[in-house]
Amino acid sequence: MIVSRLIARLQRYEGWFGVAAGLLIMVGLYMGLVTSSPDYYQGEVVRIMYIHVPAAQSAMFAYTVLFGGSVWYLWKRDPIVDNMSHAAAGIGVFFTLVALITGSIWAKPTWNTWWTWDPRLISFAIMLLILVGYLMLRTFLEDKEKEATYAAIIAIIGFVDLPIIHFSVEWWRTLHQPLSISTRGVSIARDMLIPLLLMSVGFYLLFAYMLMVRTQMLYLQHLLEAKRGRMLSKVHL
Amino acid sequence: MKWFYIRWGGVLIVAATIGIFGIQRYNRDVTAISPDRLLREQPTQMVRVLGMVEAGSVIKEAEGKPIGFQLSGEGAKIGVQYQGEEAENLRDLKTVVVVGKWNSTTQTFESEKLALVPNYGFVTAAYLISLLPMGLFLFNMERKVALLYILIKEEKVYQPEQLAEEQLERR
């Protein structure tokens, strides 16, 4: 199967993804925390952006991978792709939590509140709930094939939240600032944009690396269970 | 597993080194003292003092001349002579950081730079809360993969559950 072969091929370069992510994040952190200038209005607090924005982008990317994997699984019934989707959901929960917590820390000195019922924040929190629900469903069901199918359906339905997250700041003008990089142009200073881009690319690579490690982990878990003769299902053999 | 721990040991050393540099930089360039501490310690080197501009204390004599004002904090007040760029932030009741040297003969703080309150506590918290769990999450996953490989290697032959139970009963 095409995707399985692609995953296997990418897996060979796993280490390179990790190294590249580490280097880009280190350079991005240095530029973001040391060389970039503070914001005119927010002062030094703006430096939270260099971790908050890439974490949020990676969380959304994780969900996109989960969505793509789920569609592919329902179509081709490829168990490796199901493992990959399962792995993406776990990592997605992690990045969503990081984005929500860092966003909350950023909100306190800028908006004077830890949390507000802003559409961007609500839609992002809903994504966390969908991902947690997805993972919970995967632990409840005994039948592996049913588990994979139902989980894929939930992931596909939940994808509707992603465009809402992305366009929420355009549709509802509330506290959350609008997009800094959009079709209208770039409204961010160059010395802030470069570390932000470095961190974003670094986080995407880190996500790819984590995805490879976690997919491998889930696959090996199933393999071990199958080897021990406890869970010989059609899905994982 | 040996290489796994060596690799992560290396990551830990790099992280600890960066952390030490970060703390040094914080102590050198970011941390600020109060006017009360400045009066107690009377430092001779360049320091950053955090305090509030006293209401009605800002005196600007002429263009190019230093701006004088009173900075208060933690029950103490100091006189500041500011010679830097004219800043919008220099106004009554504004909390600012003044960078400069304490002149013990004139009992004034001579400053050439004015900064906003850095709020570095929020920045540090955001980075620590993100990066530490990220490292732990990755470490845990990689460790599990390494352990699973060992376990799979140890499981030499496939034995159906029923067969294994029968063998156990026979024993």
Side-chain angles (χ1 to χ4, degrees), chain A residues 1-77:
Chain A
M1 293 193 191
I2 306 163
V3 177
S4 299
R5 275 205 296 269
L6 181 74
I7 293 170
R9 190 160 287 183
L10 281 175
Q11 211 96 21
R12 274 186 240 160
Y13 304 102
E14 186 188 280
W16 288 106
F17 276 86
V19 171
L23 285 174
L24 281 175
I25 289 172
M26 281 219 303
V27 177
L29 279 177
Y30 177 76
M31 289 180 81
L33 290 174
V34 182
T35 63
S36 76
S37 55
D39 184 66
Y40 184 74
Y41 291 108
Q42 297 183 39
E44 302 289 347
V45 174
V46 78
R47 298 186 197 280
I48 296 175
M49 170 177 76
Y50 305 114
I51 196 106
H52 169 73
V53 174
Q57 286 171 337
S58 301
M60 288 172 74
F61 185 56
Y63 203 103
T64 311
V65 170
L66 170 63
F67 171 74
S70 300
V71 171
W72 187 265
Y73 176 74
L74 288 183
W75 184 25
K76 296 281 182 184
R77 302 278 159 178

Side-chain angles (χ1 to χ4, degrees), chain B residues 50-53 89 91 93-97 115-117:
Chain B
L50 174 83
M52 194 178 72
V53 179
N89 295 309
R91 55 174 192 262
L93 302 174
K94 179 87 184 170
T95 304
V96 290
V97 174
L116 286 170
V117 180

Side-chain angles (χ1 to χ4, degrees), chain A:
Chain A
M1 293 193 191
I2 306 163
V3 177
S4 299
R5 275 205 296 269
L6 181 74
I7 293 170
R9 190 160 287 183
L10 281 175
Q11 211 96 21
R12 274 186 240 160
Y13 304 102
E14 186 188 280
W16 288 106
F17 276 86
V19 171
L23 285 174
L24 281 175
I25 289 172
M26 281 219 303
V27 177
L29 279 177
Y30 177 76
M31 289 180 81
L33 290 174
V34 182
T35 63
S36 76
S37 55
D39 184 66
Y40 184 74
Y41 291 108
Q42 297 183 39
E44 302 289 347
V45 174
V46 78
R47 298 186 197 280
I48 296 175
M49 170 177 76
Y50 305 114
I51 196 106
H52 169 73
V53 174
Q57 286 171 337
S58 301
M60 288 172 74
F61 185 56
Y63 203 103
T64 311
V65 170
L66 170 63
F67 171 74
S70 300
V71 171
W72 187 265
Y73 176 74
L74 288 183
W75 184 25
K76 296 281 182 184
R77 302 278 159 178
D78 187 340
I80 296 292
V81 177
D82 175 51
N83 273 340
M84 189 198 70
S85 307
H86 191 175
I91 303 164
V93 167
F94 177 78
F95 279 120
T96 311
L97 271 172
V98 168
L100 283 171
I101 293 168
T102 52
S104 182
I105 295 171
W106 195 6
K108 181 63 185 162
T110 46
W111 299 341
N112 201 27
T113 180
W114 294 103
W115 176 265
T116 177
W117 295 102
D118 175 275
R120 169 61 70 92
L121 272 65
I122 298 167
S123 50
F124 216 83
I126 289 172
M127 184 168 82
L128 177 69
L129 294 178
I130 296 168
L131 286 169
V132 171
Y134 173 94
L135 290 175
M136 279 169 78
L137 177 91
R138 297 208 71 132
T139 56
F140 289 154
L141 291 169
E142 281 290 313
D143 185 331
K144 287 279 147 193
E145 205 167 328
K146 269 188 188 165
E147 176 200 309
T149 309
Y150 294 164
I153 292 166
I154 280 198
I156 291 165
I157 296 168
F159 187 70
V160 102
D161 191 40
L162 246 74
I164 298 174
I165 294 173
H166 186 75
F167 293 109
S168 57
V169 284
E170 303 288 321
W171 293 338
W172 300 283
R173 287 294 169 97
T174 50
L175 271 177
H176 205 285
Q177 58 265 50
L179 299 167
S180 300
I181 304 166
S182 67
T183 45
R184 292 188 302 272
V186 180
S187 61
I188 184 169
R190 201 182 147 82
D191 71 328
M192 288 179 174
L193 182 67
I194 293 168
L196 184 62
L197 286 177
L198 285 173
M199 287 293 281
S200 293
V201 177
F203 265 59
Y204 282 132
L205 289 172
L206 181 70
F207 166 74
Y209 177 66
M210 280 182 168
L211 188 68
M212 287 174 204
V213 176
R214 202 167 175 82
T215 305
Q216 212 175 338
M217 188 186 96
L218 292 171
Y219 172 74
L220 291 173
Q221 268 175 348
H222 291 307
L223 187 69
L224 186 68
E225 281 164 0
K227 263 199 150 189
R228 285 176 173 168
R230 286 187 193 147
M231 212 178 283
L232 293 169
S233 73
K234 277 186 272 175
V235 178
H236 293 107
L237 277 182

